[in-house]
Amino acid sequence: MGIEEVRNEIVDNAKSEANKLLAEARKEEKAIVEAIEKTAKQNKQKQQQAIKTSLEQHRLVVLSEAESAVKKERLILERELLNEVFAKVADKLVNLDAKKRALHMKQLSKKIKEFNFSKVYCSTKDQKTLAPKTEKAEILGGIILENNDGDVRVDISYEVLLDEVKKEEMPAIVETLFA
């Protein structure tokens, strides 16, 4: 075997070894690229899921805020409507015709005698109907009774009666108007 043949054999062995190393390097490169692609795909899926979750949470927050704002606005409108209804009732009480006011005062006169109070307060409109011993009060109608000492009062004014109706009948009123 000559030098040329030994050299060729060494070169062939080196090429063969280089090809093996190159093939292994390509396999490793392919495995690394596949691992990177797999990791990238997993990261992309995680990011997409995180985005979906974040968007869903944001959507829920926005919906909740909108529902809360609508509910708040509805409560404000309901309160305004109720105030308007009671203001109209008070206005109707102020503007009752003379016959109805006189009938109310006649019925309240019985209370004056029943309770035997010395002072009677009423609105200016009702002073003519009641006994001359009445004093003027800034009320829509009805009467306020007071003893001599001024320490006991019975308020049967339209305002107090209307407030009692509000307290006692508010659930039924709300049910009727807003159900």
Side-chain angles (χ1 to χ4, degrees), residues 105 108-109 111-112 115 117-123 126 130 133-147 150 152-161:
M105 291 305 111
L108 290 173
S109 292
K111 294 291 180 193
I112 295 170
F115 290 122
F117 279 96
S118 57
K119 293 181 184 175
V120 178
Y121 298 92
C122 65
S123 71
D126 298 323
L130 290 175
K133 295 181 183 179
T134 60
E135 295 183 36
K136 181 184 171 207
E138 294 297 322
I139 57 176
L140 301 176
I143 58 173
I144 300 172
L145 305 173
E146 189 174 83
N147 69 353
V152 176
R153 283 188 108 172
V154 176
D155 191 337
I156 315 172
S157 65
Y158 288 172
E159 291 93 329
V160 168
L161 296 173

Side-chain angles (χ1 to χ4, degrees), residues 80-98:
E80 288 173 356
L81 182 60
L82 287 171
N83 289 341
E84 187 177 323
V85 165
F86 281 101
K88 285 183 180 182
V89 169
D91 190 50
K92 283 187 178 190
L93 288 172
V94 167
N95 296 312
L96 280 176
D97 65 50

Side-chain angles (χ1 to χ4, degrees), residues 62-73:
V62 169
L63 280 175
S64 178
E65 288 173 353
E67 287 173 357
S68 179
V70 166
K71 189 174 185 179
K72 181 179 177 183
E73 190 62 30

